[in-house]
Amino acid sequence: MARIISGITSTGKLTLGNYLGAINNFLKLQEEHELLIFVANLHGLTLPIKAQELRDNIKDIAAWYFAAGIIPNKSHIFIQSDVLAHSQLGYILLCNSYVGELERMTQFKDKSQKMTNQQNKTISIPTGILTYPALMAADILLYDADFVPVGVDQTQHLELTKTLATRMNNNYKTDLFKIPKIIIDKQAQKIMSLQEPEKKMSKSDTNLKNTIFLSDSKQEVANKIKKAVTDSENIIKFDPEHKPGVSNLLTIYASITKKDIKTCEQYFSNHNYGFLKEEVIKVINDLLEPMQKKHQEFINEKSSQLAKYLEEGVNFANNIATKKLNFVQDTIGINFIEKER
Ligand code: AQP
């Protein structure tokens, strides 16, 4: 049984992309492995967010994990900031990273570029989006994780995690950190924006028509899918380069029904886009309805149950993380009082 760690950032409401690309995969992994999954609320601070919104997002995301089928006490869900060792090890790793290697991260370049373009003037880029990968490295290295399941977009950050771990192991001539393996889940599909299918569906997208949220009503799902961009050919074929909108709808349909794309293409071969959209609306709503019911229960009447599950998660995580942090602090020479006792 391998130990696996992963998280979702609390920057907004969860999307169908988060479910099909991440949570769905956790459900499979928990059958055979030890899973630690956190709500990444410290990462959620890297861009400006109101306190109440962040608070709501944290509870909301935790509730979605359990509503989707994460098994409490078997898999361990916790809030990142509840385990202080994340920030503490994050700082140590930051001190062992170089400005150049952080500046080279494409996500930093993209996000800072986007901010500069949006505001079209000299602006201050928050330091958190530069230092984010050091905290992400801490999230992983604290738990001696065997595997980290990530989307392709995160591989560069994970390579940096491995670089920092190796650097510290070499500098201190000891096996401080286990070097994690990266699992790129080829099955985990990338779900694209409904109106701009060349870009990823994202929870922080300001155009709400681009995104199916897990909390969307049946009518909202129907409206968004009906308006989703396709093309004028009326041929249902999987071709992300030339037919990104239609391909995205096929991907959503295939992911939810757990069928392969070829089978779905054949199923839709004699039909028009209207039929494809109706079928996609149906499978999304069938997926969301029972999950939304459970989610509401965790937000309302089962709120204390949710808190108990999270408490179990944080205790489990803290136990591992504190030992690791102590070992690191001892090794690098900053655990003075603890050592002298
Ligand atoms: N559209 C997507 N398709 C497939 N997988 C996705 N994930 C996110 N969007 C899609 C996967 O969800 C996990 C958690 O992601 P995250 O919230 O930590 O960061 P993200 O990838 O940046 O997600 P968003 O929704 O795009 O957030 P914002 O808008 O805040 O940047 C990851 O495993 C990710 O691959």
Side-chain angles (χ1 to χ4, degrees):
M1 185 168 73
R3 178 176 292 162
I4 295 177
I5 181 110
S6 196
I8 295 187
T9 319
S10 51
T11 34
K13 297 200 170 305
L14 290 198
T15 71
L16 189 64
N18 292 129
Y19 177 82
L20 294 175
I23 298 178
N24 204 19
N25 192 25
F26 300 157
L27 301 181
K28 279 182 269 163
L29 290 170
Q30 72 177 344
E31 287 169 19
E32 288 180 25
H33 303 292
E34 180 181 78
L35 234 67
L36 285 120
I37 309 168
F38 56 96
V39 180
N41 61 340
L42 295 174
H43 292 295
L45 286 174
T46 51
L47 292 174
I49 184 163
K50 292 205 169 70
Q52 191 55 46
E53 191 186 343
L54 183 58
R55 215 173 279 129
D56 290 346
N57 289 347
I58 293 167
K59 183 174 178 186
D60 195 60
I61 294 174
W64 280 118
Y65 282 138
F66 293 113
I70 292 293
I71 305 170
N73 305 324
K74 180 177 193 305
S75 298
H76 310 280
I77 311 277
F78 62 98
I79 313 293
Q80 186 187 24
S81 62
D82 285 348
V83 180
L84 296 181
H86 285 250
S87 308
Q88 291 166 292
L89 184 62
Y91 179 74
I92 293 170
L93 291 170
L94 194 56
C95 292
N96 283 275
S97 62
Y98 304 132
V99 173
E101 61 195 355
L102 294 176
E103 282 177 343
R104 272 198 295 280
M105 295 292 113
T106 30
Q107 198 178 86
F108 167 70
K109 286 195 223 163
D110 288 351
K111 283 196 174 168
S112 49
Q113 182 74 49
K114 217 162 144 194
M115 291 174 83
T116 316
N117 289 347
Q118 263 170 10
Q119 310 199 7
N120 205 14
K121 56 183 180 197
T122 314
I123 51 140
S124 307
I125 307 288
T127 315
I129 62 171
L130 177 68
T131 59
Y132 166 101
L135 181 59
M136 179 170 163
D139 299 336
I140 297 162
L141 299 176
L142 268 179
Y143 298 96
D144 284 331
D146 297 293
F147 294 109
V148 188
V150 284
V152 190
D153 54 325
Q154 286 295 335
T155 43
Q156 200 187 22
H157 288 159
L158 272 189
E159 288 302 339
L160 184 64
T161 298
K162 288 162 81 171
T163 303
L164 295 179
T166 310
R167 181 176 301 152
M168 286 193 70
N169 285 353
N170 290 340
N171 285 351
Y172 292 96
K173 298 189 176 33
T174 178
D175 282 340
L176 266 182
F177 298 117
K178 186 171 193 167
I179 312 295
K181 291 201 176 68
I182 305 174
I183 331 179
I184 305 287
D185 184 1
K186 302 238 163 56
Q187 303 298 322
Q189 302 293 344
K190 194 165 172 186
I191 307 302
M192 310 308 278
S193 152
L194 297 176
Q195 294 295 316
E196 299 160 76
E198 305 76 23
K199 68 174 202 185
K200 191 177 82 149
M201 184 182 281
S202 265
K203 61 175 118 62
S204 58
D205 198 322
T206 45
N207 181 357
L208 301 184
K209 288 187 197 144
N210 280 337
T211 309
I212 300 285
F213 294 100
L214 297 185
S215 55
D216 277 350
S217 68
K218 286 185 173 178
Q219 198 52 54
E220 283 168 325
V221 170
N223 290 345
K224 287 179 185 180
I225 296 294
K226 278 182 190 159
K227 288 189 187 132
V229 164
T230 49
D231 51 61
S232 52
E233 281 184 354
N234 225 355
I235 299 170
I236 301 176
K237 203 167 120 222
F238 186 74
D239 179 357
E241 197 185 335
H242 302 106
K243 299 170 74 68
V246 172
S247 302
N248 191 34
L249 293 175
L250 275 172
T251 302
I252 293 173
Y253 184 86
S255 300
I256 296 178
T257 57
K258 299 187 172 45
K259 291 180 182 149
D260 60 67
I261 290 280
K262 277 270 157 259
T263 311
C264 298
E265 261 184 344
Q266 274 162 10
Y267 174 64
F268 288 112
S269 59
N270 292 322
H271 293 284
N272 60 20
Y273 291 166
F275 180 77
L276 170 67
K277 287 185 171 182
E278 285 304 329
E279 290 285 292
V280 171
I281 292 167
K282 186 174 177 315
V283 293
I284 294 177
N285 281 332
D286 286 351
L287 171 77
L288 295 186
E289 194 180 8
M291 253 201 290
Q292 289 175 344
K293 198 165 162 278
K294 288 191 194 141
H295 179 262
Q296 268 316 301
E297 286 171 6
F298 280 119
I299 294 294
N300 298 316
E301 63 264 40
K302 285 194 184 165
S303 183
S304 60
Q305 180 93 67
L306 177 68
K308 276 202 197 108
Y309 291 162
L310 292 174
E311 203 180 323
E312 183 284 331
V314 75
N315 289 338
F316 187 89
N318 245 326
N319 193 24
I320 303 169
T322 309
K323 282 188 196 133
K324 185 65 171 189
L325 181 70
N326 277 335
F327 174 52
V328 175
Q329 288 180 327
D330 260 4
T331 308
I332 67 172
I334 58 171
N335 221 3
F336 177 73
I337 296 179
E338 199 62 32
K339 266 292 219 207
E340 295 298 306
R341 258 193 212 134

